[in-house]
Amino acid sequence: MATTSPQPADVIERRALNRAFLARQLLLARRTMPAEEALEHLVGLQAQAPIPPYYGLWTRLEDFRPAELAGLLTERRAVRIALMRGTVHLVTSADCRRLRPCLQPFMERSLITTFGKDLNGLDPAKVAAAGRELLEQSPLTVGDLSASLRTTWPDHPASALGNVVRSLLPVIQIPPRGVWGQSGQTTYATAEDWLGAPLDPEPDVDALVLRYLAAFGPATVKDIQAWSGLTRLRAVTERLRPQMVPFRDEDGRELWDLPGAPRPDPDTHAPVRYLAPYDNAILSHADRTRIISDEHRKAIATKNAVIPGTILVDGFVAGAWRTDRARGATTLNVQLFHPVSKRRRAELAEEGERLLLFASDGAGGRERELRIADA
């Protein structure tokens, strides 16, 4: 009996891959949706620094106001917690409970990799148990928590003891840290105490992979692993094969995607966008050339791993931005990496003025200035 040979997967060229990715990241057109819904769709926003998530939502949502996200944090409907790659993300409370169990293997592996020498002679489980007991009494700053632990383990660095708790326990950075217009030290509470509910008992890595594709796909297994920090995910994609569609990129690598996910025409217009510092859009793939060239990736790299705000022109990173404040004035400084057309420059200026107004919290009387430096 004759058999049918499998058909070769369709090839997605880089520009088409870019437009598919931008559509899922809500960057082709601002969307009208609640911030909480956007957080769920995006599987959270990277949040090593407190303020970037606000810019991340501003560039994606119509009429977004900081008070909406701040309210989610103070009402405990969203939280800041170490998740993907061990970095702090701002996610919905429901996602905190769903995602942390999936990512716990990475947190434990990363602890040993980063602090292995400092943990010699230490039982991390006992440190974590002591940390939980302390945090169940009241939230503690990182400094106070580490100092309390060091009274029991004086021969070990405070930083290592604190990171044992951060890695082995689901600890949340509670407000006012992360609230627009406020400041506060990093203060921990356990997720269970803060949310009044346990984490999901069964990690659902399959669901995690599918959600990644919905927000970041099409993608390779290496992309999914680079985003999450998890390893050995090829077995998961093989298990999910019947639910996905395969593609190939221009280099022949296998890409996975969801059948109904958006894949716009590669000539679809991509408006200028100011991405937040640390924006997930440029940090969530092994191969990031779908949005930033290797050359420009090097241009934004810093020794202390601070990722600046970046600018998309025609869908790809074309520059970086920062805001400076002095004496009540806010200045938006833009550094282009290559020349852009007059039309795109005008679009940069128009969008930059919107960003300035947002950064100054809509205060009409404050002085604002936009400076664009050419390559």
Side-chain angles (χ1 to χ4, degrees), residues 231-243:
T231 58
R232 302 178 181 178
L233 292 185
R234 187 166 298 280
V236 177
T237 57
E238 288 300 323
R239 184 166 62 244
L240 293 172
R241 184 180 287 270
Q243 301 180 46

Side-chain angles (χ1 to χ4, degrees), residues 162-222:
N163 273 283
V164 168
V165 175
R166 179 183 183 273
S167 299
L168 300 190
L169 297 183
V171 289
I172 285 169
Q173 296 187 14
I174 66 172
R177 188 164 179 82
V179 175
W180 183 271
Q182 299 187 38
S183 62
Q185 297 182 66
T186 299
T187 302
Y188 287 150
T190 66
E192 297 94 334
D193 283 350
W194 187 252
L195 300 178
L199 302 187
D200 287 4
E202 296 294 331
D204 191 346
V205 178
D206 289 18
L208 180 69
V209 168
L210 294 174
R211 288 188 62 194
Y212 171 80
L213 293 176
F216 296 91
T220 66
V221 173
K222 286 185 177 180

Side-chain angles (χ1 to χ4, degrees), residues 135-350:
L135 292 173
E136 284 176 347
Q137 297 173 28
S138 68
L140 291 171
T141 65
V142 172
D144 289 343
L145 174 62
S146 300
S148 295
L149 293 170
R150 205 152 187 259
T151 62
T152 304
W153 293 278
D155 297 330
H156 296 275
S159 60
L161 296 172
N163 273 283
V164 168
V165 175
R166 179 183 183 273
S167 299
L168 300 190
L169 297 183
V171 289
I172 285 169
Q173 296 187 14
I174 66 172
R177 188 164 179 82
V179 175
W180 183 271
Q182 299 187 38
S183 62
Q185 297 182 66
T186 299
T187 302
Y188 287 150
T190 66
E192 297 94 334
D193 283 350
W194 187 252
L195 300 178
L199 302 187
D200 287 4
E202 296 294 331
D204 191 346
V205 178
D206 289 18
L208 180 69
V209 168
L210 294 174
R211 288 188 62 194
Y212 171 80
L213 293 176
F216 296 91
T220 66
V221 173
K222 286 185 177 180
D223 289 329
I224 306 169
Q225 293 180 162
W227 168 76
S228 65
L230 298 175
T231 58
R232 302 178 181 178
L233 292 185
R234 187 166 298 280
V236 177
T237 57
E238 288 300 323
R239 184 166 62 244
L240 293 172
R241 184 180 287 270
Q243 301 180 46
M244 302 190 297
V245 290
F247 293 94
R248 295 275 176 185
D249 66 14
E250 293 174 303
D251 296 318
R253 289 172 292 213
E254 187 173 48
L255 299 166
W256 292 106
D257 204 6
L258 305 180
R263 288 183 287 275
D265 186 285
D267 291 327
T268 299
H269 173 71
V272 164
R273 288 288 181 258
Y274 283 73
L275 298 185
Y278 304 104
D279 200 288
N280 299 52
I282 61 169
L283 296 173
S284 299
H285 297 84
D287 178 4
R288 303 176 192 175
T289 57
R290 70 182 59 204
I291 192 168
I292 183 170
S293 70
D294 291 335
E295 176 187 2
H296 294 157
R297 185 176 172 182
K298 293 176 182 177
I300 65 171
T302 61
K303 292 182 179 180
N304 55 0
V306 173
I307 306 298
T310 50
I311 297 162
L312 300 184
V313 175
D314 193 29
F316 294 88
V317 171
W321 66 270
R322 74 175 192 274
T323 56
D324 296 314
R325 293 182 176 85
R327 299 178 181 177
T330 302
T331 302
L332 173 59
N333 290 288
V334 175
Q335 176 62 62
L336 293 173
F337 295 157
H338 58 72
V340 300
S341 68
K342 289 183 178 180
R343 181 173 65 86
R344 288 296 193 176
R345 193 182 182 90
E347 197 177 348
L348 268 172
E350 182 180 357

